[in-house]
Amino acid sequence: MESTVLLEALVQEKRMYTLLNEVMDLSVQLADAVDRDDQVTLHLLLGMRAEPLAKLQNVRKALENQRDSLETNDRARFVKLLNGEPAEEDEERPLANQVCANHRLLSRVIECDERISRKLAKEHSIYE
């Protein structure tokens, strides 16, 4: 796979990490607002969290477009890297490491979101 392909994907994955950090920060604040039963802050933070989530969808779409533009062999390897498979070559290592960092952060975001959803929606939570 060409190094430019890996570099472009790495740039997108770093954008994703930045946006996931923003979502995580807002989610922690949201959890605090839920604990305080602060409805005004809750609604404000939900609105604020929508923007980085929309940007995350755009990053994901850019990665999908990049994947779709690759030839079959490169596409298969690209998908494996984006799914967290370890690097097979040195030039893949930065992307593989970033993808793993993103997956760890995404897991934390999901855990926080699940706690928020269970507190707010109780038995009607999307996680039930």
Side-chain angles (χ1 to χ4, degrees):
M1 189 175 335
E2 291 183 27
S3 61
T4 55
V5 170
L6 294 170
L7 183 59
E8 185 179 331
L10 178 60
V11 167
Q12 292 299 330
E13 288 290 334
K14 285 185 177 194
R15 282 185 188 137
M16 185 180 294
Y17 187 81
T18 300
L19 291 166
L20 284 170
N21 266 319
E22 187 176 345
V23 170
M24 185 66 197
D25 290 343
L26 291 168
S27 296
V28 168
Q29 292 177 47
L30 188 59
D32 290 342
V34 169
D35 289 342
R36 293 189 318 268
D37 196 28
D38 182 347
Q39 296 299 314
V40 173
T41 303
L42 179 84
H43 290 287
L44 178 68
L45 289 169
L46 282 172
M48 291 172 62
R49 200 169 73 153
E51 182 182 340
L53 289 172
K55 288 180 181 178
L56 277 167
Q57 287 179 329
N58 292 336
V59 168
R60 193 69 193 155
K61 185 66 175 166
L63 287 166
E64 289 170 1
N65 290 339
Q66 186 180 8
R67 175 203 63 207
D68 294 344
S69 71
L70 298 173
E71 295 190 21
T72 305
N73 290 341
D74 286 344
R75 183 180 306 149
R77 183 67 194 137
F78 188 80
V79 168
K80 287 179 181 179
L81 284 169
L82 293 185
N83 285 330
E85 190 168 293
E88 291 178 354
E89 299 177 18
D90 285 341
E91 63 184 8
E92 294 177 348
R93 190 161 286 114
L95 177 59
N97 290 343
Q98 188 64 55
V99 167
C100 286
N102 289 0
H103 285 188
R104 285 190 302 271
L105 183 52
L106 178 60
S107 293
R108 290 180 43 222
V109 168
I110 291 170
E111 287 173 15
C112 187
D113 189 68
E114 183 175 354
R115 284 192 308 269
I116 293 166
S117 178
R118 289 182 189 276
K119 285 181 182 179
L120 286 175
K122 311 245 184 292
E123 66 276 353
H124 301 293
S125 168
I126 62 170
Y127 293 99
E128 287 298 321

mmCIF file of all heavy atoms in Angstrom, residues 7-57:
data_model
loop_
_atom_site.group_PDB
_atom_site.id
_atom_site.type_symbol
_atom_site.label_atom_id
_atom_site.label_comp_id
_atom_site.label_asym_id
_atom_site.label_seq_id
_atom_site.Cartn_x
_atom_site.Cartn_y
_atom_site.Cartn_z
ATOM 1 N N LEU A 7 -0.732 7.729 5.032
ATOM 2 C CA LEU A 7 -0.649 9.057 5.641
ATOM 3 C C LEU A 7 -2.008 9.744 5.651
ATOM 4 O O LEU A 7 -2.410 10.344 6.662
ATOM 5 C CB LEU A 7 0.379 9.917 4.905
ATOM 6 C CG LEU A 7 0.620 11.305 5.493
ATOM 7 C CD1 LEU A 7 1.090 11.218 6.941
ATOM 8 C CD2 LEU A 7 1.623 12.055 4.643
ATOM 9 N N GLU A 8 -2.733 9.651 4.556
ATOM 10 C CA GLU A 8 -4.065 10.260 4.489
ATOM 11 C C GLU A 8 -5.004 9.627 5.520
ATOM 12 O O GLU A 8 -5.759 10.330 6.204
ATOM 13 C CB GLU A 8 -4.643 10.105 3.087
ATOM 14 C CG GLU A 8 -5.962 10.810 2.894
ATOM 15 C CD GLU A 8 -6.514 10.661 1.481
ATOM 16 O OE1 GLU A 8 -5.727 10.513 0.527
ATOM 17 O OE2 GLU A 8 -7.749 10.680 1.348
ATOM 18 N N ALA A 9 -4.933 8.314 5.650
ATOM 19 C CA ALA A 9 -5.766 7.627 6.648
ATOM 20 C C ALA A 9 -5.346 8.016 8.056
ATOM 21 O O ALA A 9 -6.196 8.209 8.939
ATOM 22 C CB ALA A 9 -5.677 6.115 6.452
ATOM 23 N N LEU A 10 -4.044 8.170 8.283
ATOM 24 C CA LEU A 10 -3.553 8.574 9.598
ATOM 25 C C LEU A 10 -4.073 9.962 9.964
ATOM 26 O O LEU A 10 -4.490 10.198 11.104
ATOM 27 C CB LEU A 10 -2.020 8.550 9.623
ATOM 28 C CG LEU A 10 -1.366 8.994 10.924
ATOM 29 C CD1 LEU A 10 -1.792 8.104 12.091
ATOM 30 C CD2 LEU A 10 0.155 8.983 10.766
ATOM 31 N N VAL A 11 -4.070 10.869 9.010
ATOM 32 C CA VAL A 11 -4.599 12.217 9.251
ATOM 33 C C VAL A 11 -6.071 12.140 9.666
ATOM 34 O O VAL A 11 -6.498 12.793 10.628
ATOM 35 C CB VAL A 11 -4.412 13.116 8.002
ATOM 36 C CG1 VAL A 11 -5.223 14.389 8.112
ATOM 37 C CG2 VAL A 11 -2.939 13.422 7.784
ATOM 38 N N GLN A 12 -6.844 11.326 8.964
ATOM 39 C CA GLN A 12 -8.265 11.171 9.299
ATOM 40 C C GLN A 12 -8.438 10.543 10.682
ATOM 41 O O GLN A 12 -9.308 10.944 11.460
ATOM 42 C CB GLN A 12 -8.989 10.334 8.238
ATOM 43 C CG GLN A 12 -9.115 10.999 6.893
ATOM 44 C CD GLN A 12 -9.911 12.290 6.944
ATOM 45 O OE1 GLN A 12 -10.805 12.477 7.752
ATOM 46 N NE2 GLN A 12 -9.562 13.205 6.048
ATOM 47 N N GLU A 13 -7.620 9.550 10.984
ATOM 48 C CA GLU A 13 -7.711 8.887 12.292
ATOM 49 C C GLU A 13 -7.321 9.841 13.419
ATOM 50 O O GLU A 13 -7.896 9.795 14.501
ATOM 51 C CB GLU A 13 -6.841 7.631 12.333
ATOM 52 C CG GLU A 13 -7.391 6.479 11.505
ATOM 53 C CD GLU A 13 -8.651 5.848 12.080
ATOM 54 O OE1 GLU A 13 -8.872 5.912 13.314
ATOM 55 O OE2 GLU A 13 -9.416 5.262 11.289
ATOM 56 N N LYS A 14 -6.366 10.731 13.176
ATOM 57 C CA LYS A 14 -6.004 11.730 14.188
ATOM 58 C C LYS A 14 -7.144 12.732 14.375
ATOM 59 O O LYS A 14 -7.410 13.159 15.504
ATOM 60 C CB LYS A 14 -4.707 12.441 13.808
ATOM 61 C CG LYS A 14 -3.495 11.564 14.042
ATOM 62 C CD LYS A 14 -2.208 12.294 13.779
ATOM 63 C CE LYS A 14 -1.043 11.379 14.115
ATOM 64 N NZ LYS A 14 0.216 12.085 14.202
ATOM 65 N N ARG A 15 -7.797 13.102 13.292
ATOM 66 C CA ARG A 15 -8.989 13.963 13.412
ATOM 67 C C ARG A 15 -10.048 13.259 14.256
ATOM 68 O O ARG A 15 -10.704 13.869 15.103
ATOM 69 C CB ARG A 15 -9.571 14.277 12.037
ATOM 70 C CG ARG A 15 -8.830 15.325 11.293
ATOM 71 C CD ARG A 15 -9.532 15.685 9.988
ATOM 72 N NE ARG A 15 -8.668 16.558 9.223
ATOM 73 C CZ ARG A 15 -8.447 16.469 7.930
ATOM 74 N NH1 ARG A 15 -9.067 15.552 7.218
ATOM 75 N NH2 ARG A 15 -7.638 17.296 7.321
ATOM 76 N N MET A 16 -10.209 11.963 13.984
ATOM 77 C CA MET A 16 -11.185 11.180 14.733
ATOM 78 C C MET A 16 -10.844 11.189 16.219
ATOM 79 O O MET A 16 -11.730 11.355 17.069
ATOM 80 C CB MET A 16 -11.235 9.746 14.199
ATOM 81 C CG MET A 16 -12.309 8.893 14.826
ATOM 82 S SD MET A 16 -12.354 7.208 14.184
ATOM 83 C CE MET A 16 -12.832 7.489 12.499
ATOM 84 N N TYR A 17 -9.587 11.034 16.553
ATOM 85 C CA TYR A 17 -9.167 11.025 17.952
ATOM 86 C C TYR A 17 -9.496 12.349 18.630
ATOM 87 O O TYR A 17 -10.012 12.378 19.746
ATOM 88 C CB TYR A 17 -7.667 10.715 18.055
ATOM 89 C CG TYR A 17 -7.196 10.513 19.467
ATOM 90 C CD1 TYR A 17 -7.381 9.286 20.103
ATOM 91 C CD2 TYR A 17 -6.585 11.535 20.173
ATOM 92 C CE1 TYR A 17 -6.958 9.087 21.402
ATOM 93 C CE2 TYR A 17 -6.161 11.352 21.480
ATOM 94 C CZ TYR A 17 -6.350 10.125 22.089
ATOM 95 O OH TYR A 17 -5.940 9.934 23.384
ATOM 96 N N THR A 18 -9.211 13.438 17.949
ATOM 97 C CA THR A 18 -9.506 14.764 18.490
ATOM 98 C C THR A 18 -11.007 14.922 18.736
ATOM 99 O O THR A 18 -11.431 15.415 19.792
ATOM 100 C CB THR A 18 -9.007 15.859 17.527
ATOM 101 O OG1 THR A 18 -7.595 15.720 17.361
ATOM 102 C CG2 THR A 18 -9.332 17.248 18.040
ATOM 103 N N LEU A 19 -11.800 14.494 17.780
ATOM 104 C CA LEU A 19 -13.256 14.593 17.925
ATOM 105 C C LEU A 19 -13.775 13.664 19.017
ATOM 106 O O LEU A 19 -14.676 14.038 19.780
ATOM 107 C CB LEU A 19 -13.938 14.292 16.591
ATOM 108 C CG LEU A 19 -13.725 15.354 15.511
ATOM 109 C CD1 LEU A 19 -14.123 14.821 14.141
ATOM 110 C CD2 LEU A 19 -14.496 16.620 15.851
ATOM 111 N N LEU A 20 -13.204 12.470 19.119
ATOM 112 C CA LEU A 20 -13.612 11.545 20.184
ATOM 113 C C LEU A 20 -13.276 12.125 21.559
ATOM 114 O O LEU A 20 -14.049 11.960 22.508
ATOM 115 C CB LEU A 20 -12.945 10.180 19.998
ATOM 116 C CG LEU A 20 -13.519 9.295 18.912
ATOM 117 C CD1 LEU A 20 -12.621 8.089 18.672
ATOM 118 C CD2 LEU A 20 -14.935 8.848 19.256
ATOM 119 N N ASN A 21 -12.144 12.801 21.663
ATOM 120 C CA ASN A 21 -11.796 13.464 22.921
ATOM 121 C C ASN A 21 -12.821 14.532 23.271
ATOM 122 O O ASN A 21 -13.220 14.674 24.431
ATOM 123 C CB ASN A 21 -10.399 14.089 22.845
ATOM 124 C CG ASN A 21 -9.345 13.176 23.378
ATOM 125 O OD1 ASN A 21 -9.539 12.515 24.379
ATOM 126 N ND2 ASN A 21 -8.208 13.141 22.707
ATOM 127 N N GLU A 22 -13.245 15.287 22.266
ATOM 128 C CA GLU A 22 -14.259 16.317 22.488
ATOM 129 C C GLU A 22 -15.576 15.683 22.941
ATOM 130 O O GLU A 22 -16.215 16.157 23.892
ATOM 131 C CB GLU A 22 -14.467 17.131 21.214
ATOM 132 C CG GLU A 22 -15.380 18.314 21.391
ATOM 133 C CD GLU A 22 -15.503 19.173 20.140
ATOM 134 O OE1 GLU A 22 -14.678 19.039 19.211
ATOM 135 O OE2 GLU A 22 -16.441 19.987 20.106
ATOM 136 N N VAL A 23 -15.964 14.604 22.288
ATOM 137 C CA VAL A 23 -17.195 13.894 22.669
ATOM 138 C C VAL A 23 -17.062 13.352 24.088
ATOM 139 O O VAL A 23 -18.004 13.431 24.888
ATOM 140 C CB VAL A 23 -17.520 12.764 21.667
ATOM 141 C CG1 VAL A 23 -18.649 11.880 22.182
ATOM 142 C CG2 VAL A 23 -17.880 13.347 20.309
ATOM 143 N N MET A 24 -15.889 12.825 24.422
ATOM 144 C CA MET A 24 -15.676 12.277 25.761
ATOM 145 C C MET A 24 -15.795 13.371 26.809
ATOM 146 O O MET A 24 -16.471 13.188 27.828
ATOM 147 C CB MET A 24 -14.297 11.600 25.835
ATOM 148 C CG MET A 24 -14.033 10.903 27.146
ATOM 149 S SD MET A 24 -15.150 9.494 27.344
ATOM 150 C CE MET A 24 -14.986 9.196 29.088
ATOM 151 N N ASP A 25 -15.164 14.502 26.569
ATOM 152 C CA ASP A 25 -15.253 15.614 27.515
ATOM 153 C C ASP A 25 -16.700 16.056 27.719
ATOM 154 O O ASP A 25 -17.147 16.256 28.856
ATOM 155 C CB ASP A 25 -14.424 16.800 27.037
ATOM 156 C CG ASP A 25 -12.926 16.557 27.116
ATOM 157 O OD1 ASP A 25 -12.503 15.626 27.829
ATOM 158 O OD2 ASP A 25 -12.181 17.303 26.448
ATOM 159 N N LEU A 26 -17.418 16.202 26.634
ATOM 160 C CA LEU A 26 -18.821 16.608 26.726
ATOM 161 C C LEU A 26 -19.670 15.533 27.403
ATOM 162 O O LEU A 26 -20.594 15.848 28.161
ATOM 163 C CB LEU A 26 -19.375 16.941 25.342
ATOM 164 C CG LEU A 26 -18.792 18.209 24.708
ATOM 165 C CD1 LEU A 26 -19.169 18.285 23.229
ATOM 166 C CD2 LEU A 26 -19.266 19.445 25.455
ATOM 167 N N SER A 27 -19.348 14.277 27.167
ATOM 168 C CA SER A 27 -20.098 13.181 27.787
ATOM 169 C C SER A 27 -19.879 13.148 29.289
ATOM 170 O O SER A 27 -20.819 12.896 30.057
ATOM 171 C CB SER A 27 -19.700 11.839 27.157
ATOM 172 O OG SER A 27 -20.061 11.815 25.799
ATOM 173 N N VAL A 28 -18.666 13.403 29.725
ATOM 174 C CA VAL A 28 -18.384 13.457 31.165
ATOM 175 C C VAL A 28 -19.167 14.606 31.794
ATOM 176 O O VAL A 28 -19.781 14.453 32.859
ATOM 177 C CB VAL A 28 -16.865 13.594 31.420
ATOM 178 C CG1 VAL A 28 -16.569 13.952 32.870
ATOM 179 C CG2 VAL A 28 -16.148 12.309 31.034
ATOM 180 N N GLN A 29 -19.166 15.760 31.134
ATOM 181 C CA GLN A 29 -19.947 16.892 31.639
ATOM 182 C C GLN A 29 -21.436 16.554 31.643
ATOM 183 O O GLN A 29 -22.171 16.938 32.567
ATOM 184 C CB GLN A 29 -19.708 18.122 30.775
ATOM 185 C CG GLN A 29 -18.308 18.688 30.893
ATOM 186 C CD GLN A 29 -18.112 19.873 29.965
ATOM 187 O OE1 GLN A 29 -18.957 20.765 29.907
ATOM 188 N NE2 GLN A 29 -17.005 19.881 29.235
ATOM 189 N N LEU A 30 -21.869 15.844 30.629
ATOM 190 C CA LEU A 30 -23.269 15.429 30.531
ATOM 191 C C LEU A 30 -23.629 14.492 31.678
ATOM 192 O O LEU A 30 -24.699 14.624 32.296
ATOM 193 C CB LEU A 30 -23.507 14.758 29.177
ATOM 194 C CG LEU A 30 -24.914 14.406 28.777
ATOM 195 C CD1 LEU A 30 -25.803 15.638 28.732
ATOM 196 C CD2 LEU A 30 -24.900 13.738 27.403
ATOM 197 N N ALA A 31 -22.755 13.553 31.980
ATOM 198 C CA ALA A 31 -22.992 12.629 33.096
ATOM 199 C C ALA A 31 -23.101 13.399 34.406
ATOM 200 O O ALA A 31 -23.963 13.096 35.246
ATOM 201 C CB ALA A 31 -21.879 11.591 33.161
ATOM 202 N N ASP A 32 -22.251 14.404 34.575
ATOM 203 C CA ASP A 32 -22.326 15.238 35.787
ATOM 204 C C ASP A 32 -23.656 15.984 35.848
ATOM 205 O O ASP A 32 -24.270 16.077 36.915
ATOM 206 C CB ASP A 32 -21.172 16.234 35.830
ATOM 207 C CG ASP A 32 -19.829 15.576 36.082
ATOM 208 O OD1 ASP A 32 -19.802 14.421 36.560
ATOM 209 O OD2 ASP A 32 -18.801 16.225 35.784
ATOM 210 N N ALA A 33 -24.103 16.513 34.717
ATOM 211 C CA ALA A 33 -25.383 17.232 34.677
ATOM 212 C C ALA A 33 -26.537 16.288 35.002
ATOM 213 O O ALA A 33 -27.488 16.681 35.699
ATOM 214 C CB ALA A 33 -25.587 17.875 33.302
ATOM 215 N N VAL A 34 -26.459 15.055 34.528
ATOM 216 C CA VAL A 34 -27.496 14.059 34.834
ATOM 217 C C VAL A 34 -27.499 13.773 36.324
ATOM 218 O O VAL A 34 -28.562 13.718 36.961
ATOM 219 C CB VAL A 34 -27.279 12.762 34.013
ATOM 220 C CG1 VAL A 34 -28.174 11.641 34.518
ATOM 221 C CG2 VAL A 34 -27.524 13.020 32.540
ATOM 222 N N ASP A 35 -26.307 13.618 36.913
ATOM 223 C CA ASP A 35 -26.217 13.354 38.357
ATOM 224 C C ASP A 35 -26.800 14.500 39.183
ATOM 225 O O ASP A 35 -27.404 14.273 40.219
ATOM 226 C CB ASP A 35 -24.766 13.124 38.767
ATOM 227 C CG ASP A 35 -24.216 11.793 38.270
ATOM 228 O OD1 ASP A 35 -25.017 10.902 37.908
ATOM 229 O OD2 ASP A 35 -22.972 11.648 38.229
ATOM 230 N N ARG A 36 -26.626 15.728 38.693
ATOM 231 C CA ARG A 36 -27.148 16.905 39.406
ATOM 232 C C ARG A 36 -28.604 17.187 39.044
ATOM 233 O O ARG A 36 -29.209 18.090 39.609
ATOM 234 C CB ARG A 36 -26.320 18.145 39.053
ATOM 235 C CG ARG A 36 -24.906 18.146 39.541
ATOM 236 C CD ARG A 36 -24.238 19.502 39.329
ATOM 237 N NE ARG A 36 -24.525 20.129 38.059
ATOM 238 C CZ ARG A 36 -23.799 19.999 36.935
ATOM 239 N NH1 ARG A 36 -22.753 19.220 36.930
ATOM 240 N NH2 ARG A 36 -24.129 20.636 35.829
ATOM 241 N N ASP A 37 -29.134 16.452 38.085
ATOM 242 C CA ASP A 37 -30.480 16.680 37.563
ATOM 243 C C ASP A 37 -30.625 18.119 37.057
ATOM 244 O O ASP A 37 -31.632 18.777 37.266
ATOM 245 C CB ASP A 37 -31.545 16.365 38.619
ATOM 246 C CG ASP A 37 -32.924 16.211 37.999
ATOM 247 O OD1 ASP A 37 -33.011 15.827 36.810
ATOM 248 O OD2 ASP A 37 -33.920 16.495 38.698
ATOM 249 N N ASP A 38 -29.590 18.576 36.345
ATOM 250 C CA ASP A 38 -29.540 19.926 35.796
ATOM 251 C C ASP A 38 -30.034 19.876 34.349
ATOM 252 O O ASP A 38 -29.263 19.642 33.413
ATOM 253 C CB ASP A 38 -28.098 20.444 35.869
ATOM 254 C CG ASP A 38 -27.946 21.859 35.367
ATOM 255 O OD1 ASP A 38 -28.869 22.400 34.735
ATOM 256 O OD2 ASP A 38 -26.854 22.428 35.600
ATOM 257 N N GLN A 39 -31.323 20.089 34.167
ATOM 258 C CA GLN A 39 -31.956 19.948 32.861
ATOM 259 C C GLN A 39 -31.453 20.963 31.832
ATOM 260 O O GLN A 39 -31.310 20.643 30.661
ATOM 261 C CB GLN A 39 -33.478 20.049 32.996
ATOM 262 C CG GLN A 39 -34.088 18.931 33.811
ATOM 263 C CD GLN A 39 -33.850 17.568 33.198
ATOM 264 O OE1 GLN A 39 -34.024 17.377 32.006
ATOM 265 N NE2 GLN A 39 -33.420 16.612 34.017
ATOM 266 N N VAL A 40 -31.178 22.175 32.270
ATOM 267 C CA VAL A 40 -30.711 23.208 31.346
ATOM 268 C C VAL A 40 -29.348 22.818 30.773
ATOM 269 O O VAL A 40 -29.139 22.829 29.560
ATOM 270 C CB VAL A 40 -30.646 24.587 32.046
ATOM 271 C CG1 VAL A 40 -29.997 25.620 31.152
ATOM 272 C CG2 VAL A 40 -32.037 25.025 32.480
ATOM 273 N N THR A 41 -28.429 22.458 31.652
ATOM 274 C CA THR A 41 -27.090 22.044 31.206
ATOM 275 C C THR A 41 -27.181 20.777 30.375
ATOM 276 O O THR A 41 -26.465 20.640 29.367
ATOM 277 C CB THR A 41 -26.166 21.841 32.422
ATOM 278 O OG1 THR A 41 -26.113 23.051 33.179
ATOM 279 C CG2 THR A 41 -24.771 21.446 31.994
ATOM 280 N N LEU A 42 -28.036 19.877 30.764
ATOM 281 C CA LEU A 42 -28.224 18.618 30.036
ATOM 282 C C LEU A 42 -28.593 18.888 28.575
ATOM 283 O O LEU A 42 -27.956 18.357 27.658
ATOM 284 C CB LEU A 42 -29.310 17.790 30.723
ATOM 285 C CG LEU A 42 -29.655 16.463 30.084
ATOM 286 C CD1 LEU A 42 -28.694 15.399 30.535
ATOM 287 C CD2 LEU A 42 -31.068 16.085 30.451
ATOM 288 N N HIS A 43 -29.577 19.724 28.351
ATOM 289 C CA HIS A 43 -30.007 20.030 26.979
ATOM 290 C C HIS A 43 -28.927 20.789 26.210
ATOM 291 O O HIS A 43 -28.724 20.530 25.016
ATOM 292 C CB HIS A 43 -31.318 20.823 26.999
ATOM 293 C CG HIS A 43 -32.480 19.998 27.431
ATOM 294 N ND1 HIS A 43 -33.045 19.032 26.624
ATOM 295 C CD2 HIS A 43 -33.173 19.960 28.595
ATOM 296 C CE1 HIS A 43 -34.033 18.448 27.266
ATOM 297 N NE2 HIS A 43 -34.134 19.002 28.468
ATOM 298 N N LEU A 44 -28.245 21.683 26.872
ATOM 299 C CA LEU A 44 -27.166 22.436 26.241
ATOM 300 C C LEU A 44 -26.045 21.487 25.792
ATOM 301 O O LEU A 44 -25.568 21.564 24.653
ATOM 302 C CB LEU A 44 -26.622 23.489 27.210
ATOM 303 C CG LEU A 44 -25.464 24.338 26.722
ATOM 304 C CD1 LEU A 44 -25.928 25.263 25.598
ATOM 305 C CD2 LEU A 44 -24.894 25.148 27.871
ATOM 306 N N LEU A 45 -25.641 20.583 26.676
ATOM 307 C CA LEU A 45 -24.553 19.661 26.359
ATOM 308 C C LEU A 45 -24.941 18.658 25.283
ATOM 309 O O LEU A 45 -24.110 18.284 24.444
ATOM 310 C CB LEU A 45 -24.087 18.933 27.621
ATOM 311 C CG LEU A 45 -23.331 19.805 28.622
ATOM 312 C CD1 LEU A 45 -23.153 19.080 29.948
ATOM 313 C CD2 LEU A 45 -21.987 20.234 28.055
ATOM 314 N N LEU A 46 -26.194 18.224 25.286
ATOM 315 C CA LEU A 46 -26.647 17.320 24.220
ATOM 316 C C LEU A 46 -26.522 18.001 22.857
ATOM 317 O O LEU A 46 -26.081 17.389 21.884
ATOM 318 C CB LEU A 46 -28.085 16.867 24.467
ATOM 319 C CG LEU A 46 -28.270 15.776 25.506
ATOM 320 C CD1 LEU A 46 -29.757 15.556 25.783
ATOM 321 C CD2 LEU A 46 -27.610 14.479 25.061
ATOM 322 N N GLY A 47 -26.895 19.266 22.809
ATOM 323 C CA GLY A 47 -26.761 20.013 21.561
ATOM 324 C C GLY A 47 -25.310 20.206 21.161
ATOM 325 O O GLY A 47 -24.947 20.080 19.988
ATOM 326 N N MET A 48 -24.473 20.486 22.146
ATOM 327 C CA MET A 48 -23.050 20.687 21.864
ATOM 328 C C MET A 48 -22.387 19.398 21.398
ATOM 329 O O MET A 48 -21.483 19.418 20.565
ATOM 330 C CB MET A 48 -22.331 21.206 23.118
ATOM 331 C CG MET A 48 -22.712 22.615 23.494
ATOM 332 S SD MET A 48 -22.045 23.122 25.104
ATOM 333 C CE MET A 48 -20.288 23.028 24.805
ATOM 334 N N ARG A 49 -22.831 18.271 21.916
ATOM 335 C CA ARG A 49 -22.236 16.975 21.554
ATOM 336 C C ARG A 49 -22.610 16.560 20.134
ATOM 337 O O ARG A 49 -21.898 15.784 19.500
ATOM 338 C CB ARG A 49 -22.681 15.918 22.562
ATOM 339 C CG ARG A 49 -21.803 14.702 22.598
ATOM 340 C CD ARG A 49 -22.108 13.812 23.756
ATOM 341 N NE ARG A 49 -23.353 13.111 23.547
ATOM 342 C CZ ARG A 49 -23.635 11.936 24.076
ATOM 343 N NH1 ARG A 49 -22.783 11.338 24.865
ATOM 344 N NH2 ARG A 49 -24.789 11.354 23.842
ATOM 345 N N ALA A 50 -23.695 17.106 19.615
ATOM 346 C CA ALA A 50 -24.138 16.735 18.268
ATOM 347 C C ALA A 50 -23.131 17.165 17.198
ATOM 348 O O ALA A 50 -22.944 16.453 16.201
ATOM 349 C CB ALA A 50 -25.504 17.355 17.982
ATOM 350 N N GLU A 51 -22.471 18.298 17.390
ATOM 351 C CA GLU A 51 -21.533 18.792 16.373
ATOM 352 C C GLU A 51 -20.331 17.872 16.174
ATOM 353 O O GLU A 51 -20.048 17.471 15.049
ATOM 354 C CB GLU A 51 -21.069 20.204 16.719
ATOM 355 C CG GLU A 51 -20.135 20.787 15.677
ATOM 356 C CD GLU A 51 -19.642 22.173 16.045
ATOM 357 O OE1 GLU A 51 -20.268 22.848 16.872
ATOM 358 O OE2 GLU A 51 -18.612 22.562 15.486
ATOM 359 N N PRO A 52 -19.592 17.502 17.238
ATOM 360 C CA PRO A 52 -18.470 16.595 17.001
ATOM 361 C C PRO A 52 -18.916 15.215 16.516
ATOM 362 O O PRO A 52 -18.201 14.560 15.757
ATOM 363 C CB PRO A 52 -17.743 16.522 18.344
ATOM 364 C CG PRO A 52 -18.698 17.040 19.351
ATOM 365 C CD PRO A 52 -19.637 17.956 18.632
ATOM 366 N N LEU A 53 -20.111 14.795 16.913
ATOM 367 C CA LEU A 53 -20.617 13.510 16.415
ATOM 368 C C LEU A 53 -20.873 13.571 14.912
ATOM 369 O O LEU A 53 -20.556 12.626 14.187
ATOM 370 C CB LEU A 53 -21.898 13.108 17.162
ATOM 371 C CG LEU A 53 -21.698 12.681 18.611
ATOM 372 C CD1 LEU A 53 -23.049 12.486 19.305
ATOM 373 C CD2 LEU A 53 -20.850 11.427 18.709
ATOM 374 N N ALA A 54 -21.398 14.694 14.444
ATOM 375 C CA ALA A 54 -21.606 14.861 13.000
ATOM 376 C C ALA A 54 -20.267 14.894 12.268
ATOM 377 O O ALA A 54 -20.121 14.318 11.184
ATOM 378 C CB ALA A 54 -22.402 16.134 12.728
ATOM 379 N N LYS A 55 -19.292 15.566 12.864
ATOM 380 C CA LYS A 55 -17.963 15.612 12.249
ATOM 381 C C LYS A 55 -17.322 14.230 12.215
ATOM 382 O O LYS A 55 -16.603 13.896 11.274
ATOM 383 C CB LYS A 55 -17.069 16.598 12.992
ATOM 384 C CG LYS A 55 -17.443 18.047 12.752
ATOM 385 C CD LYS A 55 -16.535 18.985 13.511
ATOM 386 C CE LYS A 55 -16.912 20.429 13.287
ATOM 387 N NZ LYS A 55 -16.048 21.356 14.059
ATOM 388 N N LEU A 56 -17.579 13.429 13.246
ATOM 389 C CA LEU A 56 -17.075 12.057 13.251
ATOM 390 C C LEU A 56 -17.661 11.244 12.087
ATOM 391 O O LEU A 56 -16.958 10.448 11.468
ATOM 392 C CB LEU A 56 -17.407 11.360 14.584
ATOM 393 C CG LEU A 56 -16.456 11.637 15.725
ATOM 394 C CD1 LEU A 56 -17.058 11.170 17.043
ATOM 395 C CD2 LEU A 56 -15.113 10.982 15.474
ATOM 396 N N GLN A 57 -18.921 11.472 11.795
ATOM 397 C CA GLN A 57 -19.533 10.795 10.650
ATOM 398 C C GLN A 57 -18.850 11.213 9.354
ATOM 399 O O GLN A 57 -18.643 10.379 8.470
ATOM 400 C CB GLN A 57 -21.029 11.102 10.579
ATOM 401 C CG GLN A 57 -21.835 10.408 11.644
ATOM 402 C CD GLN A 57 -23.306 10.758 11.558
ATOM 403 O OE1 GLN A 57 -23.684 11.850 11.148
ATOM 404 N NE2 GLN A 57 -24.141 9.825 11.976
#
